[in-house]
Amino acid sequence: GVRYVNGHPFVRWLLGLFAVVFVLAVAPSFLTPLMVVRTFGEEVWKLTALELAGAVGMMLGGIALAVWGPKLSRIGLILASAVAFGVLSIGLGLSPNLWIFLFFMFLVGLAVPGFSTPAMTVLQETVEPERQGRVFGFLGIVMAVSTPAGMVVFGPLADVYSVQSLLVWAGVAIFVVAGLAVGL
């Protein structure tokens, strides 16, 4: 699987983009509950609303993708979603109140299917059927390692810097990564 990925420039590009975006997406994914508690209060309903905003966004994003996705460019969706993650991460970090914060989290949820679903579809269309198990196994490793790697980076930083600043910097970094991805 590793040899195949290394020898296939497009698959390598896609998995590299996936890995970096996953590491950077840890900030909005796992630091937002910490921001809610530190900035907006510890009430349980606020954390529940945060989780619901993201989950409802993902469900509606999945429905929208099912309806309009086949008419759109898969690579365009992947890159647009990555840019959306950057914009929305910055928006989360700059949110002046809980309601705006929850709205941005809802939008993050909307963007998630636009990144992961077309990536899976493109891999299925690009990789030969006899190699798909290895490539998807490798993708599983990338996803399984990226999230804890992101927490290793962002978790300790959240004790030194504000979660808001980490969200903004993660968003800026996603812009850089998306720009590099387009350049490649």
Side-chain angles (χ1 to χ4, degrees):
V2 172
R3 261 187 309 225
Y4 181 85
V5 169
N6 280 332
H8 198 293
F10 176 73
V11 173
R12 186 175 58 235
W13 173 86
L14 186 58
L15 291 181
L17 178 64
F18 222 88
V20 175
V21 168
F22 259 63
V23 167
L24 295 172
V26 164
S29 299
F30 292 108
L31 294 182
T32 50
L34 187 58
M35 183 174 162
V36 167
V37 168
R38 288 182 181 175
T39 306
F40 303 118
E42 296 182 18
E43 294 89 352
V44 172
W45 75 266
K46 292 177 181 177
L47 293 168
T48 303
L50 173 69
E51 295 302 319
L52 281 172
V56 169
M58 278 190 265
M59 286 188 289
L60 293 177
I63 291 168
L65 190 62
V67 172
W68 294 294
K71 300 171 187 158
L72 302 171
S73 161
R74 289 177 185 86
I75 301 302
L77 272 172
I78 293 166
L79 292 171
S81 295
V83 169
F85 289 149
V87 169
L88 297 171
S89 183
I90 291 169
L92 285 165
L94 299 177
S95 294
N97 65 56
L98 179 64
W99 300 109
I100 292 172
F101 185 78
L102 293 174
F103 177 69
F104 278 120
M105 197 63 201
F106 169 77
L107 294 177
V108 167
L110 275 176
V112 169
F115 185 80
S116 56
T117 305
M120 300 297 177
T121 303
V122 166
L123 284 174
Q124 288 173 334
E125 293 172 343
T126 304
V127 176
E128 298 82 17
E130 62 273 4
R131 301 285 184 180
Q132 285 183 5
R134 294 176 188 171
V135 171
F136 280 103
F138 190 74
L139 176 63
I141 292 169
V142 166
M143 291 176 3
V145 170
S146 297
T147 302
M151 284 308 294
V152 164
V153 172
F154 287 108
L157 287 175
D159 289 333
V160 178
Y161 301 101
S162 71
V163 173
Q164 290 91 330
S165 66
L166 294 175
L167 289 169
V168 169
W169 283 111
V172 170
I174 289 173
F175 283 141
V176 171
V177 168
L180 291 172
V182 169
L184 290 174

